[in-house]
Amino acid sequence: MISKRAVRMPASAIRRLVPYADAAKKDGVKVYHLNIGQPDIKSPHCAIEAVRNFDLDHVSYSHSAGLIELRKGLVEKYYSRIGIDIEVQDLIITVAGSESVNLALAIACDEGDEIIVLEPFYTNYNTFAFMNGITLKSISTDIRDGFQVPSMDEFEKAITDRTKAILVCNPGNPTGTLYSKESMLALGDIARRHGLFLISDEVYREFCYTDEPHFSAMNIPDLEDNVILIDSVSKRYNLCGARVGCIVSKNKEVMNAAMKYAQSRLCPPVIGQIAAIGALDTPDEYFKAVREEYIKRRDYMIDGLNSIEGVYTPVPMGAFYTIAELPVDDTESFAKWLLENFRLDNETVMITPAASFYGTPGKGLNQARIAYVLEIDQMKKALKILEEGLKAYPGRTI
Amino acid sequence: MISKRAVRMPASAIRRLVPYADAAKKDGVKVYHLNIGQPDIKSPHCAIEAVRNFDLDHVSYSHSAGLIELRKGLVEKYYSRIGIDIEVQDLIITVAGSESVNLALAIACDEGDEIIVLEPFYTNYNTFAFMNGITLKSISTDIRDGFQVPSMDEFEKAITDRTKAILVCNPGNPTGTLYSKESMLALGDIARRHGLFLISDEVYREFCYTDEPHFSAMNIPDLEDNVILIDSVSKRYNLCGARVGCIVSKNKEVMNAAMKYAQSRLCPPVIGQIAAIGALDTPDEYFKAVREEYIKRRDYMIDGLNSIEGVYTPVPMGAFYTIAELPVDDTESFAKWLLENFRLDNETVMITPAASFYGTPGKGLNQARIAYVLEIDQMKKALKILEEGLKAYPGRTI
């Protein structure tokens, strides 16, 4: 008999609909995936070439903190360029952002401790919190306000003796919301006054669509000991599958602890690290082009969604997702119905019900997360299907 | 302030000596590494070519269970060839053997549960047990008996209400001991009678130096629901840094739970998986040549060690380690002394003190783990340094 915790371990709500999509595809139906953040954008040439030029005759373990060329390169070529001033010892390469979140949680909290998150939030925060015996305490944000950081009073009310950290994702998955410098400073202020860690997940940092630069938690003054940065190298260069990220902190206790965890799994993926070293030479034009492409896609998607009757979505300023309100009772039933019952020219669309991004039961039932990672002609068809599907859906609320 | 668990998290005992080695190297001293399992053996050409022929323009996430080509390939090309009869759904690709062990522990045990291990055992079992709140209960094995599985009475005595699993490593790290079919059947019998999981770490399966084939726990009759296999693809082909392994079980509850954990970290490293797919075409001659090379190295190392006065080591039949008794009180002090104080022609040697492989305090103090992963001319020099070092060591006991 397996352990109780393995039984209780939450299954991925996002993937619950996959069998329905697979069944539709088996029937020859084309499914447009608005549900996943698997972009089709090319990786920088230099990253791909680094893999193709692989010239080792075997693949040894790297240092548990990652290849020194990558660590130094990140500090000197990447972080310094974007104005984050760190030393090599402030950084450990992780098995992507996922391991980095898991480490930050284990290091910040003991079992029974609490972390404050803004809902809607990335569902796997929940999974990693469960694995570490941590309670996520969610503060609601409002779709009409673009899911911005609410008043600090909400945080003051939510903090208890067991609160050890505030966890933010900026820009946000699933909302695409970008937090202003003022919001980050206010969060920093709360963290400082209550002695909390501020765990800042900035894996979508290069996907910001405003003219102002992204303001990192690492640059909040006088908060060096409190900030733990979650970052992803592989996501930044569309090498998602390479599984290379990092955890960054100026708090030596945090980094010493992270090193112990890092040693237990020996090392992060080396061939992915080689791709990441190649990616360090990515020219600025690459990010500029990617950003322009996403702005085009976002504009198309947001306009398209908001022109469907009964649909509302704010304009996200980062990442490649948005949360949309749909005129249905329950987006999970609707998403399932689309995959099982609705076809337009033998095509359908897959969306992610948003309820699983909320900690508060019953919230987000009429919301869905929509990724704009497809090319515009694909999104055009997907939006048409969504519009017609909403018209035909028996559970329509308007 | 970081969590109590992060403070208590055990640091890698194996790596505690690294700063001393680094200091010696800084002084221009050559250090022969008998301490680490980082072999210099070439990977199969087909694995390296698969990486060089990488032809994607970006790297998407794979399925959380791994690329289907790799899963199918492992079942059809690897496991079927070595007589392990499994289906694709019995296998999930993991971030190397490390993740596989961690998953098996979390799935088999709740906090406070116990797992029986044979000491000396791989130190990171301890780390993963700590991370999962599990107690390792160790049963001693005897160096004079080649660390073979002791009488089943020892297991009967060790089993309590909280015991959920027996964890074995076969062939063993750090001992190099290969368990016979009879031993495995006996362990299977105990597991079956007490309803325990038998977690079998077989990452060194292809490194066996007897004529009989390795007997996998997967082939113990009537034990399908109890066996969880830990395997490493990257270790098998000397792609250690690629970080690709798998967890295998015919127990559907185990695999369903493993899938939930796998989804939380999205996917295993994709470029490493591509190397692993290439490695599936490795010809038998590769394994044969590697085996012959290791037998040569082992024979040289074991003869060399046993001809040093006061040193005793059994003949390991697998992996690339052996545990040797040295004529010193405490191999940790001796290892440190070698790195700090002993030079022969400006060279020294690094060994791993074995105490950290024991669960029982005070055990293994006069033992060291020696890896035979160097070429013979290198080992020759390393053995000479060890011999002269033992003669000169002030803490010598004979």
Side-chain angles (χ1 to χ4, degrees):
Chain A
M1 202 141 78
I2 66 171
S3 62
K4 292 186 198 78
R5 64 175 152 203
V7 172
R8 287 199 313 262
M9 170 84 178
S12 166
I14 297 186
R15 279 156 216 250
R16 202 154 46 204
L17 292 169
V18 171
Y20 298 96
D22 288 347
K25 285 176 199 170
K26 237 184 176 168
D27 286 350
V29 174
K30 181 177 165 80
V31 178
Y32 292 99
H33 287 279
L34 300 181
N35 60 307
I36 43 170
Q38 181 111 290
D40 60 359
I41 301 278
K42 282 183 188 162
S43 296
H45 186 68
C46 48
I48 300 295
E49 278 305 296
V51 178
R52 287 186 188 143
N53 292 334
F54 182 78
D55 65 349
L56 302 170
D57 61 13
H58 66 290
V59 186
S60 299
Y61 298 109
S62 74
H63 191 287
S64 295
L67 291 166
I68 186 67
E69 302 93 297
L70 179 56
R71 286 183 282 151
K72 279 185 80 165
L74 281 170
V75 170
E76 291 165 10
K77 293 188 185 174
Y78 178 70
Y79 287 112
S80 80
R81 185 175 66 70
I82 62 164
I84 294 180
D85 181 27
I86 53 168
E87 310 279 326
V88 169
Q89 65 265 27
D90 303 331
L91 176 151
I92 288 175
I93 304 295
T94 55
V95 188
S98 299
E99 187 188 35
S100 188
V101 173
N102 202 8
L103 283 184
L105 265 52
I107 292 169
C109 295
D110 279 301
E111 275 205 65
D113 286 343
E114 297 170 356
I115 291 183
I116 294 176
V117 289
L118 292 173
E119 67 179 9
F121 56 83
Y122 177 52
T123 39
N124 278 323
Y125 290 166
N126 219 4
T127 321
F128 294 128
F130 172 86
M131 285 164 64
N132 288 291
I134 296 164
T135 302
L136 291 187
K137 216 157 167 185
S138 46
I139 293 179
S140 292
T141 62
D142 185 358
I143 190 171
R144 302 284 153 179
D145 181 32
F147 300 106
Q148 282 297 340
V149 177
S151 141
M152 288 303 122
D153 291 350
E154 299 294 318
F155 288 84
E156 296 284 358
K157 276 187 270 177
I159 292 168
T160 73
D161 285 353
R162 302 306 306 252
T163 307
K164 293 292 154 61
I166 297 169
L167 167 59
V168 293
C169 184
N170 180 35
N173 174 7
T175 58
T177 301
L178 181 65
Y179 299 149
S180 66
K181 180 175 174 178
E182 290 63 40
S183 291
M184 291 304 291
L185 292 177
L187 288 169
D189 192 48
I190 289 270
R192 193 185 303 108
R193 280 192 292 110
H194 292 273
L196 306 178
F197 285 109
L198 179 59
I199 303 172
S200 188
D201 177 347
E202 303 181 2
V203 302
Y204 295 98
R205 186 189 303 110
E206 294 303 328
F207 306 95
C208 286
Y209 313 125
T210 56
D211 289 334
E212 285 162 67
H214 175 269
F215 184 77
S216 171
M218 291 297 292
N219 287 328
I220 301 175
D222 302 322
L223 204 69
E224 298 203 336
D225 274 351
N226 304 59
V227 174
I228 304 176
L229 178 69
I230 309 298
D231 216 342
S232 169
V233 180
S234 44
K235 176 147 279 176
R236 189 151 66 229
Y237 304 103
N238 206 15
L239 300 164
C240 302
R243 312 313 288 141
V244 178
C246 57
I247 183 168
V248 180
S249 180
K250 300 218 170 197
N251 182 320
K252 290 204 188 318
E253 265 194 308
V254 168
M255 295 314 289
N256 289 342
M259 195 58 205
K260 292 192 286 182
Y261 286 94
Q263 285 177 342
S264 74
R265 51 68 168 145
L266 307 180
C267 76
V270 170
I271 319 180
Q273 290 186 73
I274 289 170
I277 291 171
L280 291 169
D281 293 323
T282 301
D284 283 350
E285 294 78 59
Y286 172 83
F287 292 117
K288 199 166 161 267
V290 169
R291 204 172 292 130
E292 278 168 13
E293 177 64 24
Y294 274 121
I295 289 176
K296 237 191 309 184
R297 292 181 183 189
R298 176 201 61 177
D299 291 349
Y300 189 86
M301 178 59 82
I302 301 301
D303 285 353
L305 285 170
N306 280 327
S307 63
I308 299 174
E309 199 193 346
V311 174
Y312 172 76
T313 184
V315 182
M317 290 297 174
F320 28 70
Y321 309 100
T322 195
I323 292 278
E325 249 176 35
L326 306 183
V328 301
D329 270 340
D330 175 13
T331 49
E332 175 140 357
S333 307
F334 175 60
K336 205 180 293 177
W337 177 84
L338 284 172
L339 291 171
E340 278 196 301
N341 301 302
F342 188 74
R343 311 289 180 249
L344 195 68
D345 299 333
N346 207 34
E347 298 182 335
T348 192
V349 70
M350 185 168 179
I351 58 174
T352 303
S356 65
F357 299 113
Y358 284 84
T360 311
K363 278 230 166 192
L365 286 173
N366 68 338
Q367 298 176 359
R369 185 186 72 173
I370 309 277
Y372 45 93
V373 293
L374 302 180
E375 288 180 3
I376 288 194
D377 63 324
Q378 306 259 307
M379 286 201 288
K380 186 173 180 176
K381 289 181 189 162
L383 278 163
K384 184 72 191 163
I385 295 167
L386 188 65
E387 181 169 17
E388 295 303 318
L390 280 167
K391 280 186 197 157
Y393 184 53
R396 182 176 172 84
T397 54
I398 55 168
Chain B
M1 202 142 77
I2 67 171
S3 62
K4 291 185 201 80
R5 64 175 153 205
V7 172
R8 286 201 313 262
M9 169 84 176
S12 166
I14 298 187
R15 279 157 215 249
R16 202 153 47 200
L17 291 168
V18 171
Y20 299 95
D22 288 347
K25 286 176 199 169
K26 236 183 176 168
D27 286 349
V29 175
K30 181 177 165 81
V31 178
Y32 291 99
H33 287 278
L34 300 182
N35 60 307
I36 43 170
Q38 181 111 286
D40 59 359
I41 300 279
K42 283 184 186 159
S43 296
H45 186 67
C46 48
I48 300 294
E49 278 305 296
V51 177
R52 289 187 188 143
N53 292 334
F54 182 78
D55 66 349
L56 303 170
D57 61 13
H58 66 291
V59 186
S60 298
Y61 297 109
S62 74
H63 191 286
S64 295
L67 291 165
I68 186 68
E69 302 93 298
L70 179 56
R71 286 182 283 152
K72 280 185 80 165
L74 280 170
V75 170
E76 291 166 11
K77 293 187 185 176
Y78 178 70
Y79 286 112
S80 79
R81 184 174 67 71
I82 62 164
I84 293 180
D85 181 28
I86 54 168
E87 309 279 325
V88 169
Q89 65 264 28
D90 303 331
L91 176 152
I92 287 175
I93 304 295
T94 55
V95 188
S98 300
E99 187 188 35
S100 188
V101 173
N102 201 8
L103 283 183
L105 264 52
I107 292 168
C109 295
D110 280 301
E111 274 205 66
D113 286 343
E114 297 168 358
I115 291 184
I116 294 176
V117 289
L118 292 174
E119 66 179 9
F121 56 82
Y122 176 52
T123 38
N124 278 323
Y125 290 165
N126 218 3
T127 321
F128 293 129
F130 173 85
M131 284 164 64
N132 287 291
I134 297 165
T135 302
L136 292 187
K137 216 158 168 185
S138 45
I139 293 178
S140 292
T141 61
D142 185 358
I143 191 171
R144 301 284 153 177
D145 181 31
F147 300 107
Q148 282 297 341
V149 177
S151 141
M152 288 302 122
D153 290 351
E154 299 293 319
F155 288 83
E156 296 286 358
K157 276 188 271 176
I159 291 168
T160 74
D161 285 354
R162 302 307 306 253
T163 308
K164 294 292 155 61
I166 297 169
L167 167 58
V168 293
C169 185
N170 179 34
N173 173 6
T175 58
T177 301
L178 181 64
Y179 298 149
S180 66
K181 181 175 174 179
E182 290 62 41
S183 290
M184 291 305 291
L185 292 176
L187 287 168
D189 192 49
I190 289 270
R192 192 185 303 109
R193 282 192 292 111
H194 291 274
L196 307 179
F197 285 108
L198 178 60
I199 303 172
S200 188
D201 178 347
E202 302 181 4
V203 302
Y204 295 98
R205 185 189 304 110
E206 294 303 327
F207 306 95
C208 286
Y209 313 126
T210 57
D211 288 336
E212 286 162 66
H214 175 270
F215 184 78
S216 171
M218 292 298 293
N219 287 328
I220 301 174
D222 302 322
L223 204 69
E224 298 203 335
D225 274 350
N226 303 58
V227 174
I228 304 177
L229 179 70
I230 309 299
D231 216 343
S232 169
V233 180
S234 44
K235 177 146 282 177
R236 189 151 65 230
Y237 304 104
N238 206 14
L239 299 165
C240 301
R243 312 312 289 138
V244 178
C246 57
I247 183 167
V248 179
S249 180
K250 299 219 171 195
N251 182 320
K252 291 205 187 316
E253 265 194 309
V254 168
M255 295 314 289
N256 288 343
M259 194 58 205
K260 292 191 287 182
Y261 287 94
Q263 285 178 342
S264 74
R265 51 69 168 144
L266 308 180
C267 77
V270 170
I271 318 180
Q273 289 187 73
I274 289 170
I277 291 171
L280 291 169
D281 293 324
T282 301
D284 283 351
E285 294 78 56
Y286 172 83
F287 291 117
K288 199 164 160 267
V290 170
R291 204 173 292 131
E292 277 167 14
E293 177 64 23
Y294 274 121
I295 289 176
K296 239 190 310 185
R297 292 180 183 190
R298 176 201 60 175
D299 290 349
Y300 189 86
M301 177 60 82
I302 301 301
D303 286 352
L305 285 171
N306 280 327
S307 62
I308 299 174
E309 199 194 346
V311 173
Y312 172 76
T313 185
V315 182
M317 290 297 174
F320 27 71
Y321 309 99
T322 196
I323 293 276
E325 248 175 35
L326 306 183
V328 301
D329 271 341
D330 174 15
T331 49
E332 175 140 358
S333 307
F334 175 58
K336 207 179 288 175
W337 177 84
L338 284 171
L339 292 170
E340 278 195 301
N341 302 302
F342 189 73
R343 312 285 181 254
L344 196 67
D345 299 334
N346 207 33
E347 298 182 337
T348 192
V349 71
M350 186 167 179
I351 58 173
T352 304
S356 65
F357 300 113
Y358 283 84
T360 311
K363 279 230 166 193
L365 285 174
N366 66 339
Q367 297 176 359
R369 186 186 73 175
I370 309 276
Y372 46 92
V373 294
L374 301 179
E375 288 180 4
I376 289 195
D377 61 324
Q378 306 259 305
M379 285 201 288
K380 186 174 180 176
K381 291 181 190 163
L383 278 163
K384 184 72 188 159
I385 295 167
L386 189 64
E387 181 169 17
E388 296 302 320
L390 280 168
K391 281 187 196 157
Y393 184 53
R396 182 175 172 83
T397 54
I398 55 167

